[in-house]
Structures are given as structure tokens and as C-alpha cells.
């Protein structure tokens, strides 16, 4: 569905009448955690087939009133994005490749039969919310303001067809460093019974439904002392796809780096894409190809694979220590964070926090 009738982006601001006091805010920013505290404002806009996207506004953060028959509650027609605003040393606030999030939200919308949001609207919504809640962008360390754009079927009806009323919103949550005590490798559980996404399914779309399908295996991972789940392809149960919410990289003993090629059931991470470039900049050969679960298991055992890491916006780059399954485990290297992993991580984080040059023009200043 193309946004034929959507007007040029223009928003209004309805400031919070009673925002949190500076001291309340500072108390939250001192220990923000992840995804538990939200800023004073949120962004909202609505779509209908007749008027396209309209009514862009920054309003006080608060509950949405939802009719019990709202379509998303029944058929999960919902998509989302995740990106961060970074505070630089001079007090300016920046985004990392937000156009990529705008483009991915459009692709996800297409797959979920939701209306595409014009990039101008997406970028405007982010800019306006971050500007309104600029005081909520944490400073120092690897802290950030996590931004969560999302879109859902808000028509009140129980029929199975694409919704004719759609809501788009952005909320913002101050986030502390993902690894406050230093970067530590995580253990990953190999799901043998469950798949995340099948060929022809919604694996390449960033939709809540994919996450719903991953929660039972995720619980299994936790029960087995692991932080996250690794999913294999749904058909052969042989090819490594990704974690529940992060893409995977394998460092080879010859210094080359391999990541599973995009097959339509893997989410195209913006961090994944950026690392393809950053690793090349650091002098590594980077290969996108299929990686079998046997290669992961045997390669870590015989030393062909020296490091494994996962990547995504929230945790940036996370070293993977052990891969565990029912009856065994395979540990990459010595089980500690590897050098290539940490070099890639530093290169990316330094760029995002304005401590390194931006040779690819990826950073966008908001305020
Ligand atoms: C969001 C997401 C990622 C990571 O994407 P980034 O753009 O790097 O944050 C990876 N896998 C899944 C399933 C995701 O939803």
C-alpha cells in the first residue's frame, strides 16, 4: 500500500503539563536499566485509507485507550523498530543510520499489510520526540536514549483482513550500558524443537509475532542457564539463522569473518550491515554465506572458528562463549571475549559516541 494521500510531514506539540522534575529525572538517569523507564512524551499519528497518514503529534506519555476488539489484540498485525540517540561529549545528540530504520519499517509494513510510513514522517517523528525529551538522553559511558517506533492495527473489528485504521507511535526509554561491569561472553541455547521463521513467513520483518514465537524457546534457554536462543532454518534444521533478536558472526582462524547470508527468514540487522563494512575497514575479509550448525560445533572444537559474536542495536556486539544443547556444548576460543570481537565492537561504539571519524557518513545530528 503506498501512502498516496499523506501530506508533507508537519507535527504539533502538546507539552506535558506536569513533567517529572529535574531531580526525579536525574534519579532515573543515574540508573536507567533497559526498557523500564520512559520519557515525558510520546509520538502519535494515525492512518486511514482515505486520509493517509495524519495528525502527527508529540503528546504527554501515557496509556493508550484500546477497545477490546482492536484488531492487533487478536491477529497481531504489528511491526516495530529499535534505534538509539547518543549523547556526544559536546552535548549534541546523534542518531546512527536512521534512514535504514525508516526503510526497514517500510519493508516490514509491506509484509504485514500495513501502510508504509514515508521516511520523512519516520525521521520527523524521531527528531521531534528526541528534541522534546532531549533532557532524557543520558550522558557518559555506553548510555543512550533507546527509541521504539511501532505501528499497529487499531481498527475495532474481528474480521481477518488488513486494518483500515492504523496507529504509529514512538516511545523513548533511557538505557544504561548493556555491560556495566565490562563486556562478558554469553551462553547460547540451540533450539532443537522450535523455529523462529519459515521460508515465506515473516522472519525478515521486524514484527512482534516473530518474538511471540521465540518466547517459549527463550524460556527454555533461560532454564538451561543461557541468555539467548540460536535458531536454525525451519526446513532442514541445519543452517544457522540468528538469535531471537540479534544476528551472528563467526571469526575464522585465518582472520576472515563469516555471517549467515540473508535468506528471507533472517532479520536484516542494521548493526549486521554496518559490521560488514567496519570489519572490512579493519582489514578483514567478510563473507556472507550459509553456516551449518555442524560447522559451528566442529569449527569451535577444532579451532577453525576462533570467535563467535552476536550483534544488534541494544547490545551492539556481544561475544558468544558456549553454544549449549541437550547433552553437550561447544565453546569458541577460551570462552572469553575475543580480540576481533572487541575491535569490531570498539570501532562501532567509538563511531556512535563521536569518538572516531565517520568515514561512511552514518551519523545524523538531532540537536
Ligand atoms: C532488531 C533485530 C535484529 C538486530 O537488528 P539491528 O538493526 O542491528 O538492531 C536482529 N534480529 C532480529 C530478529 C531483530 O528483531
Amino acid at each position: 500500500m503506498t501512502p498516496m494521500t499523506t501530506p508533507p510531514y508537519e507535527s504539533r506539540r502538546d507539552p506535558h503539563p506536569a513533567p517529572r522534575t529535574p531531580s526525579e529525572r536525574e534519579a532515573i538517569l543515574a540508573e536507567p536499566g533497559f526498557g523500564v523507564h520512559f520519557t515525558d512524551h510520546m509520538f502519535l499519528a494515525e492512518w486511514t485509507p482515505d486520509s493517509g497518514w495524519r495528525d502527527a503529534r508529540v503528546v504527554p506519555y501515557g496509556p493508550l485507550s484500546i477497545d477490546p476488539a482492536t484488531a492487533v489484540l487478536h491477529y497481531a498485525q504489528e511491526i516495530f523498530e529499535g534505534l538509539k540517540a547518543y549523547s556526544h561529549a559536546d552535548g549534541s545528540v546523534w542518531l546512527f543510520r536512521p534512514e535504514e530504520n525508516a526503510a526497514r519499517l517500510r519493508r516490514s509494513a509491506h509484509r504485514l499489510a500495513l501502510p508504509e510510513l514515508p521516511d520523512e514522517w519516520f525521521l520527523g517523528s524521531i527528531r521531534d520526540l528526541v528534541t522534546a525529551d532531549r533532557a532524557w538522553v543520558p550522558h557518559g559511558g555506553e548510555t543512550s536514549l533507546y527509541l521504539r517506533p511501532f505501528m499497529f492495527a487499531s481498527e475495532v473489528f474481528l474480521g481477518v483482513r488488513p486494518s483500515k485504521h492504523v496507529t504509529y507511535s514512538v516511545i523513548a526509554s533511557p538505557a544504561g550500558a548493556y555491560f556495566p561491569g565490562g563486556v562478558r561472553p554469553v551462553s547460547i541455547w540451540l533450539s532443537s524443537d522450535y523455529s523462529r521463521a519459515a521460508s515465506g513467513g515473516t522472519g525478515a520483518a521486524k514484527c512482534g509475532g516473530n518474538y511471540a514465537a521465540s518466547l517459549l524457546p527463550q524460556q527454555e534457554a533461560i532454564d538451561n542457564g543461557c541468555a539467548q536462543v540460536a535458531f536454525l532454518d525451519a526446513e532442514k534444521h541445519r543452517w544457522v539463522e540468528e538469535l531471537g533478536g540479534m544476528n551472528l558472526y563467526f571469526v575464522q582462524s585465518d582472520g576472515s569473518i563469516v555471517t549467515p547470508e540473508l535468506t528471507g527468514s533472517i532479520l536484516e540487522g542494521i548493526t549486521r550491515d554496518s559490521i560488514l563494512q567496519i570489519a572490512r575497514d579493519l582489514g578483514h575479509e567478510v563473507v556472507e554465506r550459509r553456516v551449518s550448525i555442524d560447522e559451528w560445533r566442529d569449527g569451535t572444537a577444532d579451532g577453525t572458528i576462533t570467535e563467535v559474536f552476536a550483534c544488534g542495536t541494544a547490545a551492539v556486539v556481544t561475544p558468544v562463549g558456549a553454544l549449549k544443547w541437550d547433552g553437550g556444548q561447544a565453546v569458541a576460543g577460551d570462552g572469553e571475549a575475543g580480540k576481533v570481537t572487541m575491535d569490531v565492537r570498539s570501532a562501532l561504539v567509538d563511531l556512535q559516541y563521536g569518538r572516531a571519524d565517520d568515514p561512511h557518513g552514518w551519523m545524523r545530528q538531532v540537536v
Side-chain angles (χ1 to χ4, degrees), residues 80-82 101 104 196 203 205-207 210-211 242-247 267-272 311-314:
F80 66 94
E81 270 303 321
N101 297 94
R104 187 170 63 190
R196 191 190 80 93
K206 209 167 173 72
C207 65
N210 291 339
Y211 279 77
E242 58 170 316
L243 306 184
M246 296 179 94
N247 297 111
L267 197 285
E268 295 178 40
I270 297 161
T271 317
R272 173 190 182 279
C311 64
T313 296

Side-chain angles (χ1 to χ4, degrees), residues 182 194 292 298 323 358:
Y194 302 107
S292 72
D298 301 345
L323 172 72
D358 177 19

Side-chain angles (χ1 to χ4, degrees), residues 25 97 124 185 239 283 302 321 324 353:
R25 188 178 62 234
R97 307 184 76 186
W239 305 107
D302 68 19
K324 299 186 182 180
Y353 286 94

